[in-house]
Amino acid sequence: MPSDDQLNEIIIEVENVPSRVVPEKTLVNSSFSMVSSISDIDVTDSQSFGNSNAKKSTQLLRFSSSLNESFSQTLRRSPGSVGIDTSHENIQGQKLIASLIPMTSRDRIKAIRNQPRTMEEKRNLKKMVDKEKSKQSRHILELNCCAQCLNSFSRAYRRSKNSLSELLNYISLWQKTFKVIGGKFGTSVLSYFNFLRWLLKFNIFSFIVTFSFIVIPELTVLEKNTLQFTGLEFFTGAGYFRDTVMYYGFYTNSTIRHGSSGPPYNMQLAYIFTTAACLIICFFSLLFSMARYFRNNFINPHIYSRGITKLIFCWDFTVTHERAVRLKQKNLSTEIRENLSEIRQENVKVTLNQRLIHVSAHLAAWVVSTGVAVACCVAVYYLAENNSEFLKNHQNPGAVLLLPFVVSCINLAVPRLYSLFRLVEQHATPRREVYILLIRNVFLKISIIGILCYYWLNIVAQAGEECWETLIGQEIYRLLLMDFVFSLADSFLGEFLRRLIGTQFPTSLGLQEFDIARNVLELIYAQTLVWIGTFFCPLLPFIQMITLFIMFYVKNISLMMNFQPPSKAWRASQMMTFFIFLLFFPSFTGVLCTLAITIWRLQPSADCGPFRGLPFFTHSVHSWIDALSQRPSYLWVVWICRNLIGSVHFFFILTLLVLIITYLYWQITEGRKVMIRLLHEQIINEGKDKMFLIEKLTKLQDMEKRANTSSFTVERRDVEQTSPLHVREHGAAHDLRFRRSVQEEHPKV
Amino acid sequence: MGGSGSRLSKELLAEYQVRGTRVPGELARGPALRSGVPGREAERPRPPGGPLNPSRFALQDLTFLTKQEIILAHRRFCELLPQEHRSMEESLQIRVSLEQILSLPELKANPFKERICKVFSTSPARDSLSFEDFLDLLSVFSDTATPDIKSHYAFRIFDFDDDGTLNREDLSQLVNCLTGQGEDTRLSASEMKQLIDNILEESDIDRDGTINLSEFQHVISRSPDFASSFKIVL
């Protein structure tokens, strides 16, 4: 009977399994590694984690994580005895070693390091691989000269990169402070400080570049400053500072030349190219950071976005403060309960009436928030327009501070007004609430900056005033400074008062929580102003550097004194992705548009700055290209400038290509989504198969047991056979899964 | 970098650190490929005596830590030892009991501290850590460890009964660890059941009632915060 054969086969297989069983003390690792062998069905795209360098090794290692205990024991025992037994696990072990041998030494080191084994096992594994490799290496042909050259070059490059990164790590700023903040408040608040440090790096870089290429040459041809110095200049930026290297207007338009045979330094070209270089490097750096964040934090909203599993499995191990851990546990328990009740209520139907009320509340909130933002913009524009007349009437030099003061007040008050909307609106998830609040705030801030830019470029620049670029630079400086002063006041006074109110008075307000979103938006706002202003005020990155430095310490002290750890889980990585996207998309692209309009459309002022007298800023570059075309050895530069950068067809073709590639990648992504869904269903079906087979197996075991206990002669033997089967029924089920997975593995491999 | 105050030899550092490429052995690999590697081990400088096997120094790059981190780890580890055992050879062989490791400020408040020590311990009774186990621990919890290996070890830490899967018992013990010991923070039985049902619904793909390593890694891959929160830095 075929079923009898099947029965024998199954029983034989099951019988074989316990013979591989493990002594008591290593039961732990054995069952773990046996079961983990199930996990080597690599269904998801291995690109989703693991570095792309070791993609192949990642796939191999998923397979290799199924090494069984006996191989681990072999590794632990001694490196010499690789083992000649042909049992299944050692075949897999041999496969692991065989896969490691052809890799380059770098990849091999990475692969071994990535193995989840103890140090001793890794060391022995490496020894075994080296031994096998040395046996084979006599047959390897000599590497030719080229490959060796390349090898040594790449090794030298890696070494220099390593020492550079070690040096950077050594001088890395604020490591200890970060550890303390993370220990008390967790990774969410730490992400704000990380963002601050990252922006600081941008500013340091911009400062170094502009200082070296623009300010230092200018300092060598310094003209005398005849204005009076009063203390008010620090706030207004006008007065004495107008004729310093701080502003555009001070810079010379000549070609600096020291001595009769010194190298010429064309200030016009230096100015425009330095600004362009800064912006281009910032652009690429932002782009790559954004791409890296998008890749790692692949925001995939369509499956399982409830997030309870993330709460449970992503405990923050960086929190080390005793009280903070207890608080975190309490908050987690509250949040779990809230999530559970939300899930319970999801099933509750919402009546049409309630839906209408919700929708109308949303609509009203959006209308009010947009209206407020528009009203603020109009007020700012009106104020800016009338500011010049106002200034002529009032001779007080401090009167120029009125506009920045109003703008900062708006930035202070309106976001808090937006947070009050939460009392009226009800959102589906708290995450949506955070996003909508962020979008409203971003809209407000960007529209204020936009209105100011419009005013500056259309009114101030074309009003015929003398040195309009310096005026714009001064305005931006004042805005930035007022923003800084307001932030300091907020930290010192506002948060301090809030803590007093929270703790002294018997209301149950308690300590406040650090509003990460609002603070990050303030940083983005300041950075946008700095980027716009660098063209008109080259020392602005330096000022922003100092500002950020001070802000770090102020925020840190205020955090320690006035705040409590956050109560809700904050998805730091997703939020960081969103913030960097905000930094790139409305902020940096807006800056690029503004500067592009300035350089291509506006006329420089006639008697100050490096571009005085030219009809457009770009004329300096055009005249340089014309000068270059006289020299035959630089004709290729001229050709590139005229036909690639200066021509429309080139950009048209480029855009078309980019669009086509984007469309193709989008289709590939769609295809992969379908594939993931199909594989998912396949896994579910296999699970059902497993369950079915296990049930069948237990039924057959029962039948066998009943059949055997009826005969006397084999009774004892069968008891011996069946009792380990009985005791390890669970283990047998695991082994059955192991066997199935291995059978599937073979056709794949 | 012996001048930094630690007594770890250069060879040992090169063995453990992630960026050790200055050991002469690797430079010799060029010619070694041409003529086989019989003399490779002899080219290495012999360590200054002691009971340690010189062949241990022939390996490199076993952890994700940098040189400074390894030196710092060695210093902190030595501080846990009694004064008379702090020599270099002894510090590499001796094992430190669990209570002493748990007294480290980075681990003291962690709800999973016992599980962490148990998972990384290689002693038969799983109650003590050697220096290499300690380095293993720091390597997995370091900044540069891959999410793959972090999720692997997280799975082992959360697997309270060490059977290779997260069943309902494991999950409920996990949740109890997370919510703490207080009476008001522990979840009631019905809440726990609902929570575990939800977790299994979200993560158990093959519907067998337990979460195995693949499913766990799949869930973790969708939480990008995991890698940055699964970190312990000395």
Side-chain angles (χ1 to χ4, degrees), chain B:
Chain B
M1 273 186 59
S4 70
S6 161
R7 283 153 292 154
L8 281 179
S9 67
K10 269 206 183 110
E11 292 86 7
L12 202 55
L13 272 181
E15 172 179 339
Y16 290 140
Q17 75 181 25
V18 69
R19 291 172 183 135
T21 49
R22 276 179 264 128
V23 186
E26 199 179 53
L27 284 173
R29 222 166 261 172
L33 275 172
R34 251 185 276 141
S35 58
V37 288
R40 187 157 58 106
E41 305 239 328
E43 281 177 55
R44 296 189 149 270
R46 293 255 142 196
L52 294 172
N53 191 350
S55 66
R56 285 172 75 144
F57 297 143
L59 306 172
Q60 299 176 28
D61 294 318
L62 293 175
T63 68
F64 290 99
L65 302 170
T66 64
K67 192 168 22 182
Q68 281 102 333
E69 289 169 356
I70 298 174
I71 293 174
L72 179 61
H74 188 244
R75 199 178 331 144
R76 296 290 292 273
F77 190 76
C78 285
E79 282 167 15
L80 296 174
L81 299 171
Q83 193 59 272
E84 58 273 9
H85 293 302
R86 283 193 193 170
S87 68
M88 198 193 77
E89 300 86 23
E90 277 213 64
S91 66
L92 296 178
Q93 306 276 41
I94 198 169
R95 289 182 167 273
V96 166
S97 73
L98 232 53
E99 293 82 34
Q100 282 183 293
I101 291 281
L102 295 183
S103 69
L104 281 174
E106 285 84 6
L107 285 180
K108 201 159 41 163
N110 201 313
F112 296 102
K113 51 189 181 208
E114 290 101 2
R115 281 300 302 166
I116 293 176
C117 292
K118 249 206 188 137
V119 164
F120 285 98
S121 164
T122 50
S123 66
R126 316 204 102 200
D127 61 353
S128 57
L129 285 178
S130 69
F131 178 61
E132 292 201 339
D133 298 337
F134 188 57
L135 274 191
D136 253 340
L137 196 158
L138 291 175
S139 162
V140 167
F141 278 103
S142 78
D143 226 341
T144 40
T146 58
D148 229 352
I149 210 171
K150 279 187 198 266
S151 55
H152 197 107
Y153 275 95
F155 184 76
R156 284 172 74 174
I157 291 175
F158 293 155
D159 187 8
F160 282 82
D161 51 7
D162 283 324
D163 65 349
T165 57
L166 299 181
N167 51 19
R168 297 187 82 100
E169 285 308 312
D170 288 328
L171 288 175
S172 77
Q173 263 185 295
L174 173 64
V175 172
N176 282 332
C177 256
L178 288 177
T179 54
Q181 300 303 319
E183 273 314 306
D184 50 344
T185 53
R186 281 179 94 98
L187 296 184
S188 69
S190 65
E191 284 171 341
M192 182 71 80
K193 180 175 176 323
Q194 186 192 357
L195 178 63
I196 294 183
D197 285 340
N198 276 315
I199 295 176
L200 286 177
E201 188 193 317
E202 278 188 27
S203 9
D204 190 13
I205 304 181
D206 57 3
R207 305 273 176 255
D208 62 349
T210 62
I211 302 179
N212 63 14
L213 180 63
S214 284
E215 290 161 351
F216 182 77
Q217 283 181 325
H218 190 233
V219 169
I220 291 296
S221 72
R222 280 185 272 114
S223 339
D225 285 318
F226 175 74
S228 52
S229 54
F230 199 73
K231 229 192 306 194
I232 293 179
V233 182
L234 278 187

Side-chain angles (χ1 to χ4, degrees), chain A residues 21-206:
Chain A
V21 158
V22 298
E24 201 53 54
K25 63 180 166 76
T26 47
L27 182 61
V28 164
N29 277 336
S30 124
S31 43
F32 168 74
S33 46
M34 268 204 280
V35 173
S36 75
S37 67
I38 304 167
S39 66
D40 52 20
I41 303 177
D42 188 11
V43 288
T44 53
D45 192 359
S46 70
Q47 264 177 351
S48 63
F49 47 158
N51 40 0
S52 56
N53 286 341
K55 220 190 326 179
K56 202 164 63 164
S57 54
T58 314
Q59 281 176 334
L60 284 167
L61 287 171
R62 294 199 153 230
F63 156 70
S64 66
S65 72
S66 67
L67 285 183
N68 204 345
E69 168 58 21
S70 63
F71 187 61
S72 301
Q73 268 187 330
T74 320
L75 282 181
R76 253 177 274 151
R77 250 199 318 265
S78 70
S81 56
V82 175
I84 50 169
D85 49 350
T86 53
S87 70
H88 184 73
E89 314 71 42
N90 273 332
I91 293 180
Q92 278 192 322
Q94 297 284 0
K95 276 192 181 143
L96 171 64
I97 295 182
S99 69
L100 285 175
I101 289 178
M103 289 189 194
T104 64
S105 66
R106 185 107 194 121
D107 285 340
R108 196 183 319 138
I109 290 171
K110 269 198 200 152
I112 293 183
R113 195 196 308 148
N114 224 0
Q115 289 272 314
R117 313 179 149 275
T118 66
M119 252 294 213
E120 197 183 333
E121 291 172 2
K122 284 193 269 197
R123 194 185 285 127
N124 290 336
L125 177 64
K126 185 150 202 289
K127 271 206 203 108
M128 276 198 262
V129 172
D130 284 341
K131 204 161 162 178
E132 290 293 322
K133 183 152 180 133
S134 67
K135 282 190 210 153
Q136 293 181 8
S137 70
R138 292 185 205 113
H139 307 292
I140 294 177
L141 300 171
E142 279 188 20
L143 287 179
N144 58 0
C145 218
C146 224
Q148 271 173 8
C149 244
L150 215 59
N151 242 354
S152 52
F153 177 70
S154 71
R155 211 179 297 134
Y157 166 70
R158 261 204 315 273
R159 218 170 300 160
S160 57
K161 200 167 71 153
N162 283 340
S163 41
L164 186 67
S165 60
E166 249 174 60
L167 184 69
L168 281 179
N169 263 347
Y170 198 65
I171 60 174
S172 169
L173 217 46
W174 300 320
Q175 285 285 43
K176 283 214 175 60
T177 322
F178 273 39
K179 192 175 156 202
V180 170
I181 296 177
K184 240 188 123 181
F185 291 91
T187 42
S188 50
V189 173
L190 202 58
S191 62
Y192 165 76
F193 288 94
N194 258 332
F195 192 69
L196 198 153
R197 189 169 65 167
W198 188 60
L199 285 182
L200 186 65
K201 285 185 197 155
F202 267 130
N203 285 309
I204 290 178
F205 167 74
S206 300

